[in-house]
Amino acid sequence: MLGLKLETDPRWVNIVEKNIEEILTDHAYCEQKAASNALSIMIGFPYHTDLVDEMVKLAKEELSHFEMVHQKIKDRGFKLGFERKDEYVGELYKFMRKGHQKEIVLIDRLLFGAMIEARSCERFKILSEQINDEDLKTFYKDLMISEATHYTLFIGFARKYGNHVEDIEKRWQQWLNFEADLIKKFGKKETIHG
Amino acid sequence: MLGLKLETDPRWVNIVEKNIEEILTDHAYCEQKAASNALSIMIGFPYHTDLVDEMVKLAKEELSHFEMVHQKIKDRGFKLGFERKDEYVGELYKFMRKGHQKEIVLIDRLLFGAMIEARSCERFKILSEQINDEDLKTFYKDLMISEATHYTLFIGFARKYGNHVEDIEKRWQQWLNFEADLIKKFGKKETIHG
């Protein structure tokens, strides 16, 4: 799925459905962090006008998703908890090349975004198919489609602004290999990337 | 205006209208920083459900304003530049009480927001009345109204969640006095709070 080389541990969904409050709180913050990440890309590369437009649009969409998740939290009588640490994203962050020429930094910032969207898409697909909760099944199906669209957006910009400095497909394969190895450690916690 | 104790130096608008590209770029980042600040308040106090809802809604609105300003930048054949440092906001930031009990921290985070909205509102009013540019006159009139609404939102939450620990009107007067002294140093640069 979207190039991912290893599927999520099938036991993950059983862990998740035992703690809906936890997965929803974590999910809400995933949306907020995705919005903040999009803004951070915009701030770093303001001279790419189309990138600025699309990153701000993306940030707004992620915040709309936050609102949708927050509504689910309220509907079920829960309250948004504090932010959960996302170790998976922290490990992906380390794989980004920093302090290189601007174009290289931008490529990796975009592929980092694409990677998170791709795995989130897979996780949402699992939830949409397997979670023992009809309401959340529909909810995650819609969101899964958004994640796939965002993945395409990030990959597209990486090609547009990076293809003249390196082979984007080759670099993307390096990301996929790194992630396949990383994800083996996960699938054990009731968070979106846990 | 909104309780402000000192008006902006009348020469400021003449400095601004000589460098529209600069004021628009700075303004765009003011909107982004306002969005990020709203999200940061949300993250700090997730147990106040109505505050979470309103801060995320505010962040989305600020990003819509960013888009409007970015459109003005594009319409005029300019490009968004890099973020400008906001010394005024940096000085206000120092006035916030940090490391106190949670309620005190929240009060000052909200009054910090109210303060920036109040001064921005005054600056937008000046632009809407005096800038030598008919298009921007209308633009800033609409935005001025938004800033006043946001000011009311922040003050309202400070009263709601802070009135049981301290006198909010008294603390707000302290903010206004601090700001009146601070703003004397400004009004000399082509930025929104410069």
Side-chain angles (χ1 to χ4, degrees), chain B residues 7-20:
Chain B
E7 285 179 18
T8 287
D9 188 320
R11 291 164 296 183
W12 172 74
V13 69
N14 307 116
I15 297 165
V16 166
E17 63 193 6
K18 286 193 194 102
N19 198 340
I20 299 293

Side-chain angles (χ1 to χ4, degrees), chain B residues 76-141:
Chain B
R76 285 157 191 256
F78 302 141
K79 221 170 219 195
L80 179 67
F82 282 97
E83 186 187 343
R84 269 62 172 160
K85 203 173 167 234
D86 195 326
E87 281 179 55
Y88 166 81
V89 169
E91 292 295 322
L92 287 183
Y93 188 87
K94 290 182 196 162
F95 191 65
M96 277 200 280
R97 293 166 296 182
K98 301 159 198 97
H100 285 70
Q101 59 177 119
K102 269 281 188 185
E103 289 90 340
I104 293 287
V105 172
L106 177 56
I107 291 167
D108 268 13
R109 293 217 59 172
L110 293 165
L111 296 184
F112 167 76
M115 196 71 254
I116 300 169
E117 298 287 351
R119 180 57 69 184
S120 304
C121 184
E122 189 237 17
R123 290 287 171 101
F124 288 0
K125 185 166 188 287
I126 294 171
L127 294 175
S128 74
E129 288 169 356
Q130 300 180 39
I131 198 167
N132 191 15
D133 184 309
E134 287 312 309
D135 175 51
L136 292 182
K137 267 188 175 151
T138 319
F139 185 59
Y140 280 106
K141 194 174 175 191

Side-chain angles (χ1 to χ4, degrees), chain A residues 53 60 64 67 70 74, chain B residues 47 53 60 64 67 70 74:
Chain A
D53 280 335
K60 283 173 66 185
S64 294
E67 289 176 320
H70 195 222
K74 291 186 288 181
Chain B
Y47 43 85
D53 280 335
K60 283 172 66 185
S64 294
E67 291 176 319
H70 195 222
K74 292 186 287 182

